[in-house]
């Protein structure tokens, strides 16, 4: 291996895990031991890090709904138990380099004094934009961590990450939030204080609160962070953004690239960016040339710095169980109510953090608009989708709404509002919270339009989407059916959606009620004719 180029597990850590406890393979070459067969199928062409055989692996319970499984597992788990390992970590590429520098022409990558010929990994055909001259000009002055593949003397670049995007080890510079009547609204103002939500602004990390203002060294402390990626600038289905939970530790240089991002994304479509649902290192999650969120929009994180790793370990262990159920399709992605935000928030609530719910946008509106949408859109499926969006709690639907309520809950802990003893995760956070930090990560320049801050309601979403359907930018993607031979025999049927009831009611009205009303009207008209 070329000097300065190391294996993917030389990253030091994958979140809270020592990377040396993993080995790298592809889903098709890892053998039958781990992970579960469904996960091996999804990652059959991808580089993944697998826990070694002696690692304590996260499990799952057969024949049980996912969040019931999480609740039962958490109720019997020792609060101080060690962390369970995930089924896999998506590392994207087998090798990485640190302290690298990209040449001004983008032709070479200098590592440990040696200049490696460089070329970017191939653009996925469905991806409508990509790394270009603007990307090279932006990256060239920066110190980089890069992941890729060696092809002879050349380095094929898969991920580029600015290594000086850090949090700590000294406490980030303090700043006050914008004035607002509530912490949730103050955080919203912070996300929106810069043009385009900071998409073109410099990286920033600030301390919003610290328990001990004299304790400025965060080295070695665990973090539990909550990430929202903003609105995309050229995709009218992506104005609400994306939500993920992050775990890790503050290292001696404050690097955040090896924190672990828990990303949930539909398994039943082929993403135009090649995104797969998985625990993934933050540098890959944001910097992968195809799948990286930072190539599409700005990103925000609320970071809870903790005196103990127990809360972060509990959350990560639970999410690992959720991944097992997700890969085997006990938990099925459905954009209105089983999405990146709801899966994350439902996990936190199942662990004993009752994050404040805002309620649905409007059930009455959902019922009233159902027949109108079915007629105007000429699609029952679209009417059902709209119904379910309107009936879903907004903190399970909108990433920014979830982030605001998470932040509001953390602020309540800083004010001494102690949760009940049976709210296990909330109690841990209340006891262990040392500091709150806010991180803003800009969009990386490329051929893609710049994004903006995410919307926080259906009204805001509709205000951004062109009224003329012909002007809406939507990326069609192919489906990826779940193979029948991977379906375990214990899977429970998915729960009914709220719109299923609406379909029955409005269907009954249309088949029976409307003809009956027309018949009554005809009878009245006939009686009137006879009387005259």
């Amino acid at each position: 291996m070329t000097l300065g180029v190391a294996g993917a597990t030389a990253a030091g850590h994958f979140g809270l895990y020592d990377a040396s406890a993993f080995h790298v393979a592809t889903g098709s070459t890892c053998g039958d031991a781990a992970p579960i067969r469904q996960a091996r199928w999804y990652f059959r062409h991808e580089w993944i890090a697998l826990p070694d055989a002696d690692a304590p692996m996260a499990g799952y319970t057969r024949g049980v709904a996912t969040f019931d499984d999480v609740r039962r597992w958490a109720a019997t788990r020792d609060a101080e138990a060690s962390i369970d390992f995930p089924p896999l970590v998506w590392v994207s590429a087998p090798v990485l380099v640190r302290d690298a520098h990209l040449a001004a022409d983008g032709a070479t990558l200098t590592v440990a004094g040696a200049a490696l010929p460089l070329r970017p990994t191939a653009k996925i055909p469905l991806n409508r934009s990509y790394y270009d001259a603007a990307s090279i000009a932006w990256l060239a002055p920066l110190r980089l961590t890069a992941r890729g593949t060696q092809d002879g003397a050349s380095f094929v670049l898969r991920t580029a990450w600015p290594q000086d995007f850090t949090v700590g080890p000294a406490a980030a510079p303090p700043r006050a939030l914008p004035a607002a009547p509530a912490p949730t609204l103050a955080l919203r103002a912070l996300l929106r204080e810069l043009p385009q939500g900071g998409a073109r602004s410099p990286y920033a990390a600030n301390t919003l609160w610290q328990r001990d203002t004299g304790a400025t060294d965060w080295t070695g402390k665990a973090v539990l962070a909550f990430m929202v990626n903003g609105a995309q600038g050229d995709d009218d289905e992506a104005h609400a953004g994306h939500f993920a939970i992050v775990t890790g530790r503050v290292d001696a240089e404050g690097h955040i690239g090896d924190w672990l991002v828990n990303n949930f994304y539909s398994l039943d479509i082929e993403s135009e960016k090649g995104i797969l649902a998985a625990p993934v290192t933050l540098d890959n999650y944001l910097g992968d040339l195809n799948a990286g969120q930072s190539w599409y929009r700005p990103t925000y994180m609320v970071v809870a710095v903790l005196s103990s790793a127990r809360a972060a370990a509990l959350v990560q262990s639970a999410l690992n169980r959720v991944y097992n159920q997700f890969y085997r399709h006990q938990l099925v992605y459905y954009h209105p109510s089983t999405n990146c935000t709801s899966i994350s928030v439902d996990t936190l609530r199942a662990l004993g953090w009752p994050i404040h719910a805002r309620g649905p946008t409007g059930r009455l509106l959902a019922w009233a608009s159902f027949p109108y949408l079915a007629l105007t859109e000429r699609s029952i499926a679209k009417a059902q989708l709209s119904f379910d969006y309107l009936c879903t709690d907004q903190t399970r639907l909108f990433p920014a709404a979830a982030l605001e309520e998470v932040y509001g809950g953390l602020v309540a802990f800083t004010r001494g509002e102690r949760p009940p003893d049976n709210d296990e995760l909330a109690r841990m956070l209340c006891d262990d919270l040392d500091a709150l930090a806010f991180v803003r990560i800009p969009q990386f320049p490329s051929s893609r339009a710049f994004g903006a801050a995410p919307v926080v309601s259906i009204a805001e979403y509709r205000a951004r989407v062109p009224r003329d359907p012909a002007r809406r930018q939507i990326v069609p993607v192919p489906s990826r059916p779940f193979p029948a031979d991977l379906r375990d025999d214990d899977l429970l049927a998915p729960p009914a959606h709220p719109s299923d009831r609406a379909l029955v009611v409005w269907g009954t009205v249309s088949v029976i009620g409307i003809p009956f009303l027309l018949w009554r009207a005809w009878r009245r008209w006939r009686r009137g004719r006879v009387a005259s």
Side-chain angles (χ1 to χ4, degrees):
M1 192 171 288
T2 304
L3 181 67
V5 179
T9 56
H13 291 87
F14 295 141
L16 295 168
Y17 305 97
D18 189 328
S20 66
F22 293 76
H23 59 279
V24 174
T26 65
S28 60
T29 62
C30 64
D32 294 337
I36 60 174
R37 62 196 183 108
Q38 294 90 345
R40 293 198 301 271
W41 182 78
Y42 282 114
F43 289 89
R44 60 196 183 278
H45 303 308
E46 290 291 331
W47 289 99
I48 53 179
L50 302 166
D52 291 340
D54 59 349
M57 294 289 294
Y60 62 90
T61 305
R62 291 172 58 87
V64 175
T66 300
F67 298 106
D68 289 340
D69 180 21
V70 171
R71 274 185 286 271
R72 294 178 189 181
W73 165 82
T76 60
R77 179 182 183 272
D78 185 339
E80 307 299 328
S82 60
I83 191 169
D84 292 339
F85 276 62
L88 59 92
V89 173
W90 186 23
V91 294
S92 299
V95 299
L96 86 161
V97 297
R98 291 193 183 276
D99 301 313
H101 292 276
L102 181 66
D105 62 0
T108 59
L109 189 70
T110 300
V111 183
L116 304 177
L118 180 80
R119 70 176 187 270
T121 191
K123 181 177 82 69
I124 293 174
L126 286 174
N127 198 344
R128 296 187 299 169
S129 63
Y130 202 57
Y131 172 97
D132 64 1
S135 312
I136 294 168
W138 187 76
L139 291 169
L142 304 175
R143 190 169 60 121
L144 302 175
T145 294
R147 295 181 186 268
T149 305
Q150 280 198 278
D151 182 10
S154 298
F155 188 86
V156 182
L157 181 68
R158 175 73 182 257
T159 291
W161 175 251
Q163 201 165 299
D164 293 324
F165 285 6
T166 60
V167 176
R175 69 152 294 171
L177 266 68
T184 52
L185 298 178
L187 185 71
R188 186 183 306 176
L190 183 57
L191 266 60
R192 301 179 180 192
E193 69 177 354
L194 297 175
Q196 293 183 276
R200 299 173 184 259
S201 302
Y203 172 86
N206 294 101
T207 301
L208 303 180
W209 172 87
Q210 186 151 323
R211 187 182 302 275
D212 180 358
T213 56
T216 58
D217 188 358
W218 293 351
T219 304
K221 291 192 174 183
V223 297
L224 178 61
F226 307 92
M227 177 186 288
V228 167
N229 313 109
Q232 292 182 202
D234 59 357
D235 186 344
D236 286 314
E237 292 184 312
H239 291 299
H242 199 73
F243 190 93
I245 296 174
V246 185
T247 61
R249 288 187 186 275
V250 180
D251 73 10
E253 295 184 65
H255 295 142
I256 62 176
D258 61 2
W259 291 2
L260 201 60
V261 181
N262 293 279
N263 174 42
F264 290 94
Y265 195 88
S266 177
L267 295 172
D268 296 327
I269 61 167
E270 297 276 359
S271 164
E272 76 276 15
K273 303 161 192 170
I275 297 171
L276 287 166
V280 56
T281 55
L282 186 146
D283 60 347
N284 274 324
Y285 179 73
L286 296 180
D288 183 294
L289 267 59
N290 276 295
Q293 297 291 329
S294 284
W295 294 102
Y296 305 99
R297 44 195 169 184
T299 290
Y300 319 89
M301 275 198 298
V302 170
V303 181
V305 182
L306 306 170
S307 60
S308 166
R310 58 180 182 161
L314 172 64
V315 172
Q316 186 62 61
S317 297
L319 289 167
N320 296 338
R321 293 184 76 86
V322 174
Y323 277 114
N324 281 327
Q325 298 282 33
F326 195 59
Y327 292 139
R328 66 189 210 103
H329 270 58
Q330 179 56 75
L331 182 67
V332 179
Y333 201 97
Y334 179 57
H335 205 276
S337 58
T338 313
N339 52 60
C340 60
T341 307
S342 64
I343 293 170
S344 302
V345 169
D346 288 352
T347 301
L348 297 174
R349 287 174 173 157
L351 293 175
W353 186 6
I355 295 165
H356 179 258
R358 295 186 178 178
T361 299
R363 290 192 178 92
L364 183 60
L365 177 61
W367 280 96
S369 62
F370 188 92
Y372 171 78
L373 287 172
L375 290 171
T376 57
E377 296 287 347
R378 299 180 182 180
S379 171
I380 294 294
K382 288 183 179 179
Q384 287 192 269
L385 202 65
S386 177
F387 188 99
D388 290 333
Y389 279 126
L390 290 168
C391 288
T392 299
D393 169 42
Q394 294 168 78
T395 58
R396 300 181 66 251
L397 178 60
F398 290 100
L403 187 68
E404 289 173 7
E405 294 299 343
V406 163
Y407 178 70
L410 292 170
V411 169
F413 301 151
T414 71
R415 295 174 175 173
E417 298 179 22
R418 186 168 180 78
D421 286 345
N422 59 339
D423 289 341
E424 182 75 7
L425 176 58
R427 184 181 58 78
M428 288 181 180
L429 290 170
C430 185
D431 290 344
D432 299 343
L433 188 61
D434 269 359
L436 289 175
F438 175 76
V439 175
R440 181 189 291 110
I441 301 168
Q443 182 173 335
F444 298 176
S446 71
S447 63
R448 185 172 289 269
F450 278 89
V455 302
V456 76
S457 68
I458 285 179
E460 286 190 345
Y461 180 86
R462 288 176 174 167
R464 289 197 190 179
V465 175
R467 294 180 66 86
D468 180 1
R471 294 180 55 219
R472 295 173 188 168
Q473 299 185 74
I474 296 174
V475 184
V477 292
S479 63
R480 178 170 48 207
F482 187 52
D485 62 342
L486 292 181
R487 188 174 295 277
D488 293 336
D489 60 10
D490 67 289
L491 297 182
L492 302 178
H497 301 137
S499 61
D500 293 337
R501 182 182 300 175
L503 179 60
V504 171
V505 170
W506 280 111
T508 302
V509 168
S510 64
V511 172
I512 298 174
I514 292 175
F516 176 73
L517 292 174
L518 291 173
W519 177 76
R520 289 287 301 271
W522 179 80
R523 288 287 301 271
R524 285 197 298 271
W525 177 79
R526 290 281 298 170
R527 284 197 296 268
R529 287 287 300 270
V530 171
S532 64

